[in-house]
Amino acid sequence: MSNNTTRRSSGTPINKMGHVLLRLSLKYMPDASIFAVALTFIAFILGVVLTDQGPMQMVKNWYKGFWELLGFSMQMALIVITGSCVANAPLVKGWINRIASIPKSAKSAVFTVTLVSVLVSFVHWGLSLIVGAILAKELAKNLRDKKIPFEYGLLAAGAYVGQMTWQGMLSSSVGLFIATPGHVMEDLIGVVPMSDYMLNPMNICVTIALAIGPAVFATLLLPKDPAEFQPLSAEAVMAIEKEDLKLKKRPEQATVGDYLNYSPVLAWALGLLGFVYIFYAFYTKGFNALDFNLLNAIFLFGGIMLYGNIANYTMAVRDAVTGTAGIIFQFPLYAGVLGIVKYSGLVMILANGIATVSTETTFYLWTFLSASVVNMFVPSGGGQWAVQGPVALESAKIMGADLVKTSLMVAYGNCWTNMAQPFWAIALLGITGLEAKDIMGYSIGIMILSGIIFIAAALL
């Protein structure tokens, strides 16, 4: 298998496209951290060239934004930690293992992990990321035990696809934003209930297409010849072979502290206290209550109850923390990029240029494409909507376009190019033991094929 970097791909044109994209990714795609550094300098140069601000002002913009995502970074770290704890709890792990045991071939495994990732993303993108990553790892473990050849990078790419399909459903940052009374763009679009956003006829069609399309596209990218599958790295093997968390029991010669550490009464009391507020939030606000903090609360208190005591839950947290290393280092870098883009006015320049070249027929397409480009520099749905949303809505009013459809197009563009941007894959890479280059060729291939769905929605 050592000569597979030069082997010519066999199979369909889509197979060959996947082969080419993977080779380019393996050869040129840097580590996710280098990607963040490269985007920093690209944004810096564009800011100096395209705006009236000089280099020193751009440095100030960069540093002004550098620390603005600290709260968000902690939220993301907790999504990884609390999600991993829940997914590794014996009850949930049993469900994931049962799903992982179903596929009997590499193709069915790719289809399964992609389908699960997409369907779970309709509930919440954060849950999709963690469940998908753990499912990809368990599928790889089962296939390896059965001596069935598989392409681990494609399995992980399938697990990542949920980050491309979530913006039209329950956890959509754009949908939740415009559904919140008193939001800062209320004078432009009013308050749009989540039901109106999700049940928009175009979004219904897109969601149905996304439910099955990407899973099929992913299987089409699988190399026909198992000899073309990438060999597993030492890190990937370690991740796959990592033993399940061994839960401990209270020592026989227990101290007072041991009784407290392993007390199910304390764990359940704390969990129930948390869920009292969670139920209250949903009762009073409906789905509008669902945000990063409430999601983390659900996983935190649910995880504590699943483990049944504080001692084992704390052990699960320690085991999951290693998956947050990339978040801790890279998110400040992306916050700096966001600062350059936001405070220099780059987003406004891009969006205004799109509105200038648009016609009634192409407005939605250009809105989608511009959002796709902006997402490469501002890989946060809420952050991007905050800076691009007002321009998109003002442009829509000038063009006489539908404001909800315009919002959806910004949302679609924001999540479409996640497949070419390893920002959200950091947690997945930590769980699977892979590098960005191992999955990005395949995820870009799925992105290109799925673009048919979004572009059709924009033009029809």
Side-chain angles (χ1 to χ4, degrees), residues 9-10 15 22 151 154 220-226 228-229 442:
S9 177
S10 59
N15 288 141
L22 178 63
E151 177 66 323
L154 184 54
L220 296 177
L221 291 171
L222 184 71
K224 291 290 185 182
D225 186 355
E228 295 175 356
F229 294 168
Y442 287 126

Side-chain angles (χ1 to χ4, degrees), residues 149-310:
F150 62 93
E151 177 66 323
Y152 193 28
L154 184 54
L155 287 176
Y160 189 41
V161 169
Q163 304 311 296
M164 183 186 69
T165 58
W166 61 278
Q167 271 282 26
M169 295 302 288
L170 290 173
S171 65
S172 169
S173 53
V174 174
L176 291 171
F177 185 97
I178 61 178
T180 304
H183 67 83
V184 296
M185 300 176 205
E186 189 172 346
D187 59 327
L188 291 173
I189 193 173
V191 176
V192 180
M194 279 296 288
S195 56
D196 290 355
Y197 179 85
M198 292 191 299
L199 298 179
N200 178 281
M202 178 191 71
N203 190 52
I204 292 174
C205 294
V206 169
T207 301
I208 292 172
L210 290 176
I212 191 67
V216 173
F217 298 149
T219 62
L220 296 177
L221 291 171
L222 184 71
K224 291 290 185 182
D225 186 355
E228 295 175 356
F229 294 168
Q230 290 299 305
L232 296 174
S233 66
E235 291 78 9
V237 172
M238 287 178 60
I240 293 171
E241 293 181 345
K242 183 180 179 182
E243 293 185 3
D244 292 343
L245 191 67
K246 302 293 185 183
L247 301 185
K248 296 181 179 180
K249 296 182 179 180
R250 189 181 65 208
E252 291 184 6
Q253 302 296 324
T255 65
V256 174
D258 290 330
Y259 277 103
L260 294 174
N261 291 338
Y262 290 91
S263 169
V265 175
L266 280 178
W268 276 80
L270 181 60
L272 288 174
L273 181 64
F275 272 99
V276 167
Y277 178 79
I278 292 167
F279 289 136
Y280 168 78
F282 279 119
Y283 178 76
T284 56
K285 300 180 182 178
F287 282 117
N288 286 342
L290 192 62
D291 57 15
F292 287 118
N293 292 331
L294 199 66
L295 176 72
N296 281 327
I298 292 170
F299 278 93
L300 172 63
F301 297 115
I304 291 171
M305 296 170 76
L306 282 170
Y307 283 88
N309 59 65
I310 302 300

Side-chain angles (χ1 to χ4, degrees), residues 22-78:
L22 178 63
R23 294 296 166 267
L24 291 173
S25 176
L26 290 172
K27 187 173 182 179
Y28 297 109
M29 176 65 69
D31 180 77
S33 300
I34 300 300
F35 198 89
V37 174
L39 279 179
T40 298
F41 289 108
I42 292 173
F44 185 93
I45 293 170
L46 288 176
V48 172
V49 172
L50 298 180
T51 73
D52 58 359
Q53 297 184 7
M56 193 60 220
Q57 184 58 47
M58 214 56 62
V59 171
K60 293 179 181 178
N61 294 337
W62 172 71
Y63 193 79
K64 185 177 180 180
F66 202 82
W67 305 114
E68 288 189 349
L69 292 184
L70 286 182
F72 180 58
S73 300
M74 186 61 177
Q75 288 173 323
M76 282 301 301
L78 284 173

Side-chain angles (χ1 to χ4, degrees), residues 344-404:
S344 69
L346 272 176
V347 169
M348 300 291 285
I349 292 173
L350 176 62
N352 284 326
I354 293 300
T356 301
V357 301
S358 297
T359 66
E360 290 185 6
T361 303
T362 63
F363 174 74
Y364 296 119
L365 176 61
W366 283 117
T367 299
F368 166 73
L369 293 176
S370 67
S372 301
V373 173
V374 171
N375 179 58
M376 297 297 291
F377 298 92
V378 191
S380 164
Q384 179 171 343
W385 179 249
V387 293
Q388 188 175 3
V391 178
L393 294 175
E394 289 286 5
S395 300
K397 286 191 171 184
I398 294 172
M399 300 298 297
D402 182 270
L403 297 180
V404 175

Side-chain angles (χ1 to χ4, degrees), residues 139-163:
L139 283 166
K141 184 176 182 179
N142 284 345
L143 293 173
R144 193 165 181 258
D145 290 344
K146 297 172 183 175
K147 301 189 185 308
I148 298 173
F150 62 93
E151 177 66 323
Y152 193 28
L154 184 54
L155 287 176
Y160 189 41
V161 169
Q163 304 311 296

Side-chain angles (χ1 to χ4, degrees), residues 420-431:
Q421 155 65 279
F423 179 79
W424 297 112
I426 297 169
L428 178 143
L429 298 175
I431 293 172

